[in-house]
Amino acid sequence: MVQTTFEEQVVYSRPIAFSDSQTHYCPGCTHGTAHRLVAEVIDEMGIREKMVGVASVGCSVFAYNYFNFDFVQAPHGRAPAMATGIKRVLPDRYVMTYQGDGDLASIGMGEIVAAAARGENITVIFLNNANYGMTGGQMAPTTLPGQKTSSSPTGRDVELAGFPIRTAELLATLDGASYVVRRSLHDPKNIRMAKKAIRLAFETQKHGLGFSLVELLSVCPTNWGMTPSQAQDWVGEVMVPYYPINDFKVHPALANIKA
Amino acid sequence: MAKELLKGNVAIAEAAIRAGMNAYFGYPITPQTELLEWLAKRMPELGRAFVQAESELGAVNMVYGAACTGARVLSSSSSPGVSLMLEGLSYIAGTEVPAVLVDIMRGGPGLGNIAPAQADYNQIVHGGGHGDYHPIVLAPANIQEAIDLTYGAFDLAEKYRSLVIILADGSLGQLMEPAVLPEMLPVIMRQPEWATYGAAGREKRILSSINLEPREQEAFNLHLEKRWQEIKKAEVRYMEYYLEDARYAVVSFGTSGRISLSAIRAARAKGIPVGLFRPITLAPFPEQELYELSQRMDGLLVVEMNSGQMLEDVIKITRNSIPVEFYGRMGGMVPMPEEIEAEIDRLVNQPHSPNGHPRDRWLDRFSLDN
């Protein structure tokens, strides 16, 4: 009889920083992708036990259930202030906020600008899906000109509702910001780039360089009324031209850090 | 320890430092700004956290974040700033993290002015923020009491995982008088079994105020109410002055209580048997004590620097069983002892009208010429 042995090789496993739980996100949503990337980076850096996450209000309100480390949950828009409070009393911990565009760039614009200007040594993961997802797809500060949402039913009219905010570009003007970039989650190449950026953002915090933020262009197939595949194409074809993938602020000390 | 001449705002700030406060987050607003300024100098030199926040919204949420780690944390503000903080206070209450806030009240509504007032009574004592919750509210009437209450506020907050609010007014924040500061306690980072400070060697923890399931939210509300009952049983504080032989009592808190005491001394000199009942805990209110007192009095005079906010609680507690009259000044005006003395005379010497609300009678005789 011939004995056949199989060598077991792990090709996929759940990051330890990722909880073994089912998310409430819609099919095709990129929140799951962003969560996974953050969890992988935290595992790779070995910082899970030193993490305190701050969840925000919006679709990612339950992020605390999906990550496997200490978490608090902030009032709408106030996550950077809560993160400041945590970081100032526990400067050797890693503090992350996870916010959407309604939370960060509308109701929480004051808190995020102030935290960045102070050079608060925290990392912000900022998902921009150009609408308020949780409440059913209303116009957000990031909604593109002409984009139809439930509160801009004929398309965003810039004469009445003004123009979208390019958050990363805006925050990059602040001296306290050390790492501010935009990435996208609409295809594998961009997802790999996003992971590197998330790593560099946490490295920024690790080295005490100050405020770091990664804006991630994301899909919202449910509220956009598209299939997940159409939504991914829409990000690449419509969102990226308005919100370019770029590094807007990179502290010189980060040049020597490999992500 | 020797007495020092201390300004109220500075005394409160230093008392919090000596209580082992880890962090302070605040925003400048008159008449509490000296509190922030004192801590801007003292906290960094002691190696503790201090941030001048971008707004009261920022400050209260920094407090919220730091409180989630188990830190002893303080903020301070004045009436309009506290209005902005109410969102955060509701979240702090809904998450059951201990935190201490100082409200140095000023005239309102709106931007109002920067003169002393007590018109935040309803906003603070009866909740203010959304949802069912009860902060512990402490009302000092002099600087020594402000020091002592602040010094003990963190223990109280931690004991019940509750908000503790020191409710004082602009005159107490601004005036100077001799007082003794307590000893400096060591500053330590506490790690309570509920706190989020990094899950090293234990399961992760979540601190939130969310309960999507109404039945669970109701169970949590019930838990808060039960704990409030415990607090009501154990933490009521008040002061009584000249009440042993009194037939009339003034009920007044904080600065108006202090001024009432001067009026009572003058009335006593004229032979009027009047005393002062001064609640120190506005929440929990000394309900039973005031009710029992009212049963042996011929009348009560409620004095406040507002339009009669505590008055409603006094009426509720005394159940219309004895005559109650009211005297108030509003909008940053502070009553003179002579005004209160005249009100005591009126209560004692004029036949009591059983008709109408004490506020209506006060409004009928109120004159801006005072």
Side-chain angles (χ1 to χ4, degrees):
Chain A
M1 233 181 117
V2 181
Q3 191 94 31
T4 310
T5 59
F6 296 96
E7 200 177 327
E8 220 175 54
Q9 196 187 352
V10 176
V11 294
Y12 179 92
S13 68
R14 180 182 292 276
I16 301 166
F18 211 24
S19 296
D20 187 3
S21 58
Q22 192 177 346
T23 76
H24 71 290
Y25 298 121
C26 300
C29 176
T30 39
H31 265 302
T33 315
H35 284 17
R36 165 98 197 181
L37 297 181
V38 169
E40 286 180 0
V41 165
I42 287 168
D43 272 17
E44 288 162 17
M45 291 177 70
I47 58 174
R48 187 189 71 84
E49 294 191 333
K50 298 188 92 177
M51 281 293 304
V52 182
V54 185
S56 59
V57 172
C59 283
S60 60
V61 66
F62 298 117
Y64 53 74
N65 285 329
Y66 311 141
F67 289 107
N68 182 23
F69 46 85
D70 275 7
F71 241 95
V72 300
Q73 198 282 313
H76 201 15
R78 320 290 176 230
M82 268 192 103
T84 299
I86 296 164
K87 188 70 178 184
R88 292 295 181 114
V89 293
L90 297 173
D92 67 334
R93 306 302 202 281
Y94 290 84
V95 181
M96 168 189 84
T97 73
Y98 189 107
Q99 303 174 258
D101 47 307
D103 187 89
L104 183 143
S106 189
I107 195 167
M109 192 50 116
E111 284 76 13
I112 195 69
V113 168
R118 283 193 304 267
E120 216 57 67
N121 196 28
I122 59 171
T123 297
V124 176
I125 306 299
F126 168 46
L127 268 74
N128 174 0
N129 62 8
N131 78 147
Y132 283 86
M134 187 64 135
T135 44
Q138 294 77 31
M139 183 179 67
T142 45
T143 294
L144 294 173
Q147 185 184 340
K148 285 185 182 172
T149 70
S150 68
S151 59
S152 57
T154 57
R156 180 175 188 157
D157 177 353
V158 295
E159 294 298 324
L160 294 173
F163 293 88
I165 295 174
R166 292 186 180 92
T167 307
E169 286 90 328
L170 188 153
L171 294 174
T173 64
L174 300 167
D175 290 347
S178 285
Y179 184 71
V180 179
V181 303
R182 182 180 294 114
R183 298 291 184 265
S184 181
L185 300 173
H186 71 283
D187 64 25
K189 172 178 170 254
N190 278 288
I191 288 169
R192 279 195 293 275
M193 286 169 62
K195 184 178 172 184
K196 282 188 178 174
I198 292 167
R199 175 67 187 253
L200 265 179
F202 278 101
E203 292 286 349
T204 305
Q205 184 172 171
K206 180 181 178 179
H207 290 84
L209 296 173
F211 182 84
S212 54
L213 176 141
V214 181
E215 177 173 341
L216 297 168
L217 301 183
S218 301
V219 301
C220 189
T222 300
N223 289 313
W224 294 353
M226 298 180 191
T227 66
S229 165
Q230 287 170 335
Q232 286 168 347
D233 291 345
W234 194 79
V235 171
E237 290 159 16
V238 182
M239 279 187 82
V240 170
Y242 202 94
Y243 295 113
I245 310 298
N246 209 343
D247 296 350
F248 299 104
K249 187 81 175 280
V250 180
H251 193 285
L254 288 167
N256 307 318
I257 296 164
K258 257 195 110 134
Chain B
M1 285 192 195
K3 282 193 174 182
E4 303 168 54
L5 190 62
L6 292 165
K7 189 171 199 166
N9 283 328
V10 170
I12 290 170
E14 186 60 29
I17 284 175
R18 295 184 182 209
M21 166 174 64
N22 300 101
Y24 171 88
F25 307 98
Y27 185 81
I29 182 170
T30 311
Q32 68 81 47
T33 300
E34 298 84 0
L35 208 161
L36 171 133
E37 288 173 336
W38 184 260
L39 295 173
K41 175 175 174 290
R42 287 282 279 151
M43 293 296 273
E45 75 187 16
L46 292 166
R48 307 189 199 175
F50 170 92
V51 178
Q52 179 176 320
E54 64 274 18
S55 66
E56 287 87 355
L57 282 176
V60 74
N61 284 287
M62 290 175 195
V63 166
Y64 186 18
C68 286
T69 72
R72 291 203 146 175
V73 56
L74 178 82
S75 188
S76 59
S77 189
S78 178
S79 310
V82 173
S83 298
L84 263 179
M85 288 183 168
L86 290 178
E87 175 197 56
L89 298 186
S90 172
Y91 278 73
I92 286 169
T95 312
E96 290 190 278
V97 289
V100 181
L101 171 70
V102 179
D103 178 3
I104 305 292
M105 294 179 281
R106 60 187 243 183
L111 202 50
N113 56 43
I114 57 174
Q118 295 179 324
D120 292 7
Y121 181 93
N122 279 342
Q123 162 161 279
I124 295 298
V125 172
H126 293 304
H130 61 282
D132 276 325
Y133 72 94
H134 308 271
I136 296 170
V137 184
L138 309 172
N142 57 63
I143 291 180
Q144 188 63 59
E145 196 170 55
I147 291 170
D148 297 344
L149 291 176
T150 306
Y151 197 61
F154 295 96
D155 283 338
L156 202 53
E158 286 161 13
K159 182 176 178 186
Y160 297 106
R161 293 181 62 178
S162 173
L163 261 172
V164 174
I165 301 176
I166 314 277
L167 191 65
D169 64 78
S171 69
L172 199 64
Q174 296 295 320
L175 68 83
M176 295 183 81
E177 62 183 347
V180 179
L181 285 164
E183 65 167 315
M184 181 77 90
L185 295 181
V187 60
I188 51 171
M189 271 305 291
R190 289 161 181 78
Q191 294 194 332
E193 76 282 358
W194 47 261
T196 50
Y197 45 82
R202 60 160 172 79
E203 291 290 300
K204 75 159 178 177
R205 292 178 188 152
I206 297 165
L207 284 175
S208 95
S209 59
I210 299 179
N211 265 310
L212 276 190
E213 176 55 53
R215 197 172 286 282
E216 287 174 21
Q217 180 68 47
E218 188 182 47
F220 175 76
N221 286 135
L222 184 66
H223 159 71
L224 287 185
E225 291 302 318
K226 295 275 186 197
R227 197 185 54 199
W228 184 244
Q229 285 185 323
E230 279 175 48
I231 294 171
K232 283 175 81 164
K233 275 191 198 120
E235 303 300 341
V236 165
R237 292 181 224 175
Y238 58 96
M239 287 288 284
E240 293 183 326
Y241 305 82
Y242 306 112
L243 284 175
E244 298 81 13
D245 62 343
R247 285 173 49 216
Y248 298 90
V250 176
V251 183
S252 189
F253 70 94
T255 291
S256 58
R258 180 180 178 147
I259 300 166
S260 294
L261 193 55
S262 299
I264 286 163
R265 289 194 177 111
R268 281 253 160 200
K270 292 189 296 193
I272 298 175
V274 59
L276 173 68
F277 184 86
R278 179 166 68 81
I280 295 172
T281 51
L282 297 178
F285 199 90
E287 294 173 7
Q288 189 60 30
E289 293 77 5
L290 178 62
Y291 178 73
E292 284 167 12
L293 175 76
S294 71
Q295 296 311 292
R296 55 188 177 88
M297 293 293 131
D298 294 335
L300 297 181
L301 172 68
V302 178
V303 179
E304 298 179 76
M305 283 144 59
N306 62 44
S307 64
Q309 298 186 16
M310 183 181 72
L311 169 66
E312 297 295 344
D313 287 335
V314 172
I315 291 170
K316 187 177 67 186
I317 290 161
T318 56
R319 302 169 209 169
N320 278 325
S321 57
I322 62 160
V324 174
E325 293 294 349
F326 173 70
Y327 186 72
R329 297 304 302 262
M330 302 174 287
M333 291 298 288
V334 179
M336 296 299 286
E338 295 74 23
E339 297 168 48
I340 300 170
E341 197 186 331
E343 291 293 321
I344 293 169
D345 283 339
R346 184 190 308 275
L347 176 71
V348 173
N349 297 319
Q350 289 193 10
H352 176 69
S353 157
N355 300 323
H357 193 283
R359 182 184 295 107
D360 298 336
R361 293 194 289 274
W362 162 66
L363 284 172
D364 282 345
R365 65 180 188 273
F366 188 81
S367 162
L368 287 174
D369 298 335
N370 272 327

